Amino acid sequence: MKLGWLVGAAASLLIAGQAQALSVVYTGATNSLPYTIIEAPEFEGPVSVKIELFGTGLGGAEIYDHLVYEHDDWMYNETSGKWQPWGGNEYDFYLLVAEITNPGTATATIASGSFYEIDCPGCYYYRETFGSHTAAVGIYGDPWSEPVRYRVTFHGVVPEPATWAIMIAGLGLAGQRLRQVKLRPPIAA
């Protein structure tokens, strides 16, 4: 009986610990140049992207890893004894991952997330860098043809609050049960 209860608690913890998948779907039609850009919501971790094009219109689509990169330089002013802004740059890249023409389907996985670093080489100048990766899709159509119909699906793995609550409750119950089993006196033979 005791072992069965523990096995059941462990199984519920495994089920509760599974992350819930979050999907966002965009649908529409376009026959415009330049691209209609659709950005993914902010996910941390891998994002699966699927683009489907329908109809008879001339056009296509591309899946991108959208990289935003900002960097600021600071210089130490020996007269004032303080660091002061010296310049900086901001870069915005759309790195091509996959492409299709109408009709068709393409899929890709983008490792989305943010990064941040501080650097002080020789402490002559101070560099601060921030960047982020997100998934994006660009869709285009021929203005003189039928609109290209599309469906874009962004699918990321995001743990939901209910998942965390169930997992914590399961851990608490399993810990309580183990404590009860441990505190009982041994059965005399």
Side-chain angles (χ1 to χ4, degrees):
M1 180 72 176
K2 294 176 190 173
L3 183 60
W5 192 92
L6 287 174
V7 170
S12 68
L13 283 174
L14 287 175
I15 291 169
Q18 296 297 319
Q20 298 295 318
L22 178 65
S23 292
V24 179
V25 179
Y26 298 93
T27 58
T30 185
N31 62 347
S32 66
L33 290 171
Y35 292 95
T36 298
I37 299 289
I38 300 173
E39 296 277 345
E42 291 186 15
F43 292 115
E44 286 293 329
V47 177
S48 173
V49 182
K50 181 178 182 182
I51 175 74
E52 300 169 274
L53 299 180
F54 311 99
T56 58
L58 299 174
E62 296 177 344
I63 298 174
Y64 306 109
D65 178 355
H66 183 196
L67 172 64
V68 177
Y69 177 83
E70 300 173 11
H71 128 161
D72 296 318
D73 290 331
W74 294 70
M75 182 166 46
Y76 186 74
N77 185 332
E78 293 183 14
T79 307
S80 67
K82 297 181 180 179
W83 291 93
Q84 60 189 47
W86 184 44
N89 296 305
E90 181 176 327
Y91 305 99
D92 194 4
F93 298 106
Y94 284 90
L95 307 170
L96 181 64
V97 177
E99 60 185 328
I100 58 169
T101 57
N102 188 37
T105 301
T107 59
T109 301
I110 308 296
S112 66
S114 299
F115 60 89
Y116 185 79
E117 69 181 40
I118 297 174
D119 192 16
C120 182
C123 287
Y124 177 69
Y125 73 93
Y126 176 90
R127 188 179 71 196
E128 199 170 29
T129 303
F130 173 77
S132 65
H133 288 271
T134 55
V137 172
I139 306 164
Y140 64 92
D142 184 346
W144 295 279
S145 75
E146 292 293 318
V148 173
R149 292 182 292 120
Y150 61 85
R151 179 171 46 234
V152 178
T153 306
F154 297 107
H155 186 74
V157 177
V158 179
E160 295 183 1
T163 301
W164 288 105
I166 292 171
M167 187 171 66
I168 290 168
L171 283 171
L173 288 173
Q176 180 185 13
R177 184 65 183 148
L178 285 172
R179 185 171 176 222
Q180 288 173 354
V181 169
K182 206 177 217 185
L183 294 177
R184 286 188 185 156
I187 299 174

